[in-house]
């Protein structure tokens, strides 16, 4: 299989975990490139239900290598918890999982700062983070204060952490949070370091050698384009580059080694957390979509906000990521609807916009301009080929592809691996 980036095209939770799991069959290596355990990637295999946070979704395949790339921020305790949970279900990680030695480490003080920042933000300015310490950890990385996986396994780790805690504790005290006890934290992380040491390696060299020897790599994005720190609805975003460019900076594999980009997109839109969402439905249809699609956060359990497909967002996403084809998910969730709407443009104070404005204060004033299509009112869940779909369902999918200018590669009509229709991918 060509080296492929899998990127979320909306606000995350598009079904990346399922798509990665399906495509891992044809890949040799799966590499996560950004985010941390803010992600929740679900994979359903028959009656088995897995939610992965830090470990790539390819781990459920026996003979594949999974890499946590340098762009990921790793909470070692969370990672060990996730590994243990997999081991308990008979899924091995030994010799299958590699953790990049350049990954930044998430500490409990990052979580405390995340929580305390959110608590202090006024209503309307809260981001609704997952409180996993992601923002403060990437903040430390950018301000060159972070500790990395290579530091965690260095004999100098206790000193490096003690130095860092001097500033951290003064900040925590200033915001009224409990200071961290250096010996206790060092001891907890030393135990984690010992367990993780066999997994920590130079993932950049590993991945480049794999690519050079003709192995195929799937680059697993977390979150989605509209949560990207540069291109999303800033400041209501996460703190990393979820977009396709992040695959290069987050793994150390050069752009021209990547062959294609697949955008994962839901047949409607959801968002979890705060921030503008032009096509949000605050009505019975929104509730119906949420119920039918089980739209609850895989990480925090929060109800996801639901709305119609936003083609302005999808086109923007296609442009930034260079999306070659869609992996469209959750078409089945729309099965019972009488009519379905597609947002084709925004009306922003009388001006028609066909792009996402940078300024969120402008975006909240945008009203969606809809086009309406008839629903199909039949189950698509048992469809296995495009020809099995009701004509109106096919027309809806075709219209989404036409309006976004991106062809369909794969269509998903259920959470299970098997509920997947191939259309060129
Ligand atoms: P991710 O973060 O992008 O991996 O997505 P999540 O796992 O957070 O959320 C997607 C949810 O939709 C999960 O519960 C999946 O099991 C489920 N899912 C994925 N594809 C489909 C589909 O085509 N139909 C239905 N009904 N559920 C799906
Ligand atoms: P996956 O990979 C959906 C959202 C949070 C919040 C914002 C910032 O499962 O698609 P953070 O904790 O990252 O600082 O929170 O980003 N968010 C996600 N929303 N899916 C995710 O990941 C998300 N990861 C973060 O809800 O609005
Ligand atoms: Mg998710």
């Amino acid at each position: 299989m060509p080296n492929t980036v899998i990127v979320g095209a909306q606000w995350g939770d598009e079904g990346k975990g399922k798509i990665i799991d399906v495509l891992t069959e044809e890949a040799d290596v799966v590499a996560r490139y950004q985010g941390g355990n803010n992600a929740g990637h679900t994979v359903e295999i028959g009656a088995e239900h897995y939610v992965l946070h830090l470990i790539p979704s390819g781990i459920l395949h026996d003979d594949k290598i999974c890499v946590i790339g340098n762009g990921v921020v790793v909470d070692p305790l969370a990672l060990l918890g996730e590994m243990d949970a997999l081991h308990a279900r008979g899924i091995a990680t030994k010799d299958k999982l590699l953790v990049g030695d350049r990954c930044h480490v998430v500490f409990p003080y990052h979580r405390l700062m995340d929580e305390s920042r959110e608590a202090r933000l006024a209503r309307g300015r809260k981001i609704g983070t997952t409180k996993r310490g992601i923002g403060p950890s990437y903040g430390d990385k950018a301000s060159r204060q972070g500790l990395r996986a290579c530091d965690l396994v260095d004999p100098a780790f206790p000193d490096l952490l003690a130095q860092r805690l001097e500033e951290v504790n003064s900040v925590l005290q200033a915001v009224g949070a409990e200071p961290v006890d250096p010996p206790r934290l060092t001891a907890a992380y030393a135990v984690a370091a010992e367990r993780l040491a066999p997994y920590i390696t130079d993932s950049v060299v590993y991945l480049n050698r794999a690519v050079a020897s003709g192995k195929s790599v799937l680059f697993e994005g977390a979150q989605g384009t509209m949560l990207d720190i540069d291109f999303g609805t800033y400041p209501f975003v996460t703190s990393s580059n979820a977009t396709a460019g992040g695959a290069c900076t987050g793994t150390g594999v050069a752009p021209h080694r990547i062959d294609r980009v697949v955008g994962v997109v839901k047949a409607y839109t959801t968002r979890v957390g705060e921030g503008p969402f032009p096509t949000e439905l605050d009505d019975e249809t929104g509730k119906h979509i949420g119920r039918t699609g089980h739209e609850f956060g895989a990480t925090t359990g929060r109800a996801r906000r639901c709305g119609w497909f936003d083609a302005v967002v999808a086109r923007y996403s296609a442009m930034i990521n260079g999306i070659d084809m869609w992996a469209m998910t959750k078409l089945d969730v729309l099965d019972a609807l009488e009519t379905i709407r597609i947002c084709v443009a925004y009306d922003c104070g009388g001006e028609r916009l066909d792009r996402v404005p940078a300024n969120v204060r402008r975006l909240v004033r945008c009203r969606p301009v809809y086009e309406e299509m008839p629903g199909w009112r039949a189950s698509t869940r048992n469809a296995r080929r495009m020809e099995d779909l009701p004509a109106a369902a096919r027309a809806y999918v075709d219209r989404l592809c036409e309006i976004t200018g991106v062809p369909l590669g794969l269509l998903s009509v259920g959470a299970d691996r098997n509920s997947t229709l191939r259309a060129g991918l």
Side-chain angles (χ1 to χ4, degrees):
M1 192 183 67
N3 295 326
T4 305
V5 178
I6 304 293
V7 67
Q10 294 156 319
W11 276 280
D13 301 326
E14 297 90 348
K16 299 174 293 293
K18 169 184 166 160
I19 302 300
I20 297 274
D21 173 64
V22 167
L23 296 180
T24 297
E25 197 70 62
E26 296 143 49
D28 300 301
V29 179
V30 184
R32 253 291 289 278
Y33 60 81
Q34 43 68 237
N37 60 330
N38 50 348
H41 297 176
T42 314
V43 180
E44 308 262 351
I45 308 169
E48 296 295 317
H49 172 91
Y50 300 88
V51 181
L52 298 149
H53 300 284
L54 276 163
I55 298 177
S57 308
I59 197 75
L60 304 173
H61 294 252
D62 273 344
D63 49 344
K64 313 291 174 173
I65 301 294
C66 287
V67 178
I68 298 182
N70 57 275
V72 177
V73 289
V74 176
D75 179 330
L77 307 181
L79 176 57
L80 285 167
E82 205 173 320
M83 288 163 61
D84 288 341
L86 287 176
H87 298 162
R89 296 177 72 177
I91 313 278
T93 55
K94 192 168 173 291
D95 301 328
K96 274 175 67 186
L97 178 68
L98 309 178
V99 180
D101 54 6
R102 292 173 174 83
C103 289
H104 276 255
V105 176
V106 179
F107 289 95
Y109 52 79
H110 292 126
R111 287 200 303 275
L112 288 172
M113 286 173 182
D114 195 353
E115 268 185 44
S116 115
R117 272 182 202 163
E118 278 284 281
R120 280 178 297 133
L121 281 172
R123 256 187 91 215
R125 298 200 54 212
K126 290 188 195 297
I127 294 162
T129 74
T130 60
K131 302 199 173 116
R132 298 296 190 272
I134 304 301
S137 172
Y138 278 111
D140 274 6
K141 173 178 176 175
S143 61
R144 296 157 295 182
Q145 316 262 32
L147 297 180
R148 306 192 295 175
C150 57
D151 299 318
L152 189 66
V153 291
D154 190 302
F157 176 69
D159 296 334
L160 295 169
L161 184 59
Q163 277 165 30
R164 181 71 195 116
L165 286 178
E166 283 173 23
E167 190 200 37
V168 165
N169 274 339
S170 61
V171 173
L172 288 175
Q173 271 164 325
V175 299
E178 273 291 295
V180 176
D181 177 42
R184 201 172 329 142
L185 183 59
T186 308
Y189 271 58
V191 172
E194 202 179 316
R195 283 194 63 198
L196 285 177
Y199 295 88
I200 296 174
T201 188
D202 190 331
S203 58
V204 177
V205 168
Y206 174 83
L207 285 169
N208 278 285
R209 282 195 183 140
V211 169
S213 69
K215 292 210 164 104
S216 69
V217 181
L218 261 184
F219 296 87
E220 175 173 349
Q223 289 83 49
T225 302
M226 299 310 288
L227 289 171
D228 181 281
I229 181 91
D230 283 277
F231 303 108
T233 47
Y234 191 92
F236 301 97
V237 292
T238 191
S239 298
S240 63
N241 284 116
T243 41
C248 295
T249 56
T251 61
V253 175
H256 60 292
R257 302 276 177 246
I258 292 174
D259 304 304
R260 62 180 182 181
V261 179
V262 172
V264 186
V265 73
K266 269 180 193 168
Y268 50 95
T269 314
T270 62
R271 172 165 206 170
V272 60
E274 305 301 323
F277 178 4
T279 62
E280 181 169 13
L281 287 169
D282 193 14
D283 62 6
E284 210 24 69
T285 308
K287 288 198 190 97
H288 167 81
I289 293 175
R291 266 195 316 271
T292 315
H294 304 290
E295 295 295 357
F296 294 92
T299 296
T300 58
R302 292 177 290 175
R304 295 174 183 151
R305 300 151 66 192
C306 299
W308 297 119
F309 188 88
D310 186 336
V312 181
V313 161
R315 276 197 301 260
Y316 175 69
S317 215
M319 173 175 77
I320 291 164
N321 296 300
I323 291 174
D324 295 301
M325 55 185 102
W326 293 126
M328 194 177 288
T329 61
K330 305 193 88 160
L331 182 73
D332 55 297
V333 173
L334 306 180
D335 280 351
L337 297 177
E338 209 158 319
T339 52
I340 300 175
R341 292 177 143 193
I342 305 170
C343 166
V344 294
Y346 299 146
D347 177 342
C348 197
E351 186 195 350
R352 190 180 162 104
L353 270 190
D354 59 5
R355 59 182 185 83
V356 182
N359 188 328
V360 280
R361 286 170 298 280
R362 187 151 182 239
L363 184 57
V364 289
R365 290 197 303 273
C366 287
R367 298 287 161 258
V369 177
Y370 286 120
E371 112 181 356
E372 203 164 85
M373 292 190 76
W376 43 95
R377 312 207 73 184
S379 174
T380 55
R381 295 204 74 147
N382 296 320
R384 292 297 173 266
R385 297 165 310 154
M386 292 303 285
E387 303 85 80
D388 299 338
L389 291 174
R394 190 129 189 210
Y396 177 67
V397 173
D398 286 348
R399 182 66 185 139
L400 296 189
C401 291
E402 180 185 49
I403 210 166
T404 54
V406 176
L408 187 71
L410 193 150
L411 183 69
S412 171
V413 292
D416 193 71
R417 258 185 198 172
N418 299 325
S419 311
T420 314
L421 288 63
R422 295 296 188 112
L425 179 65

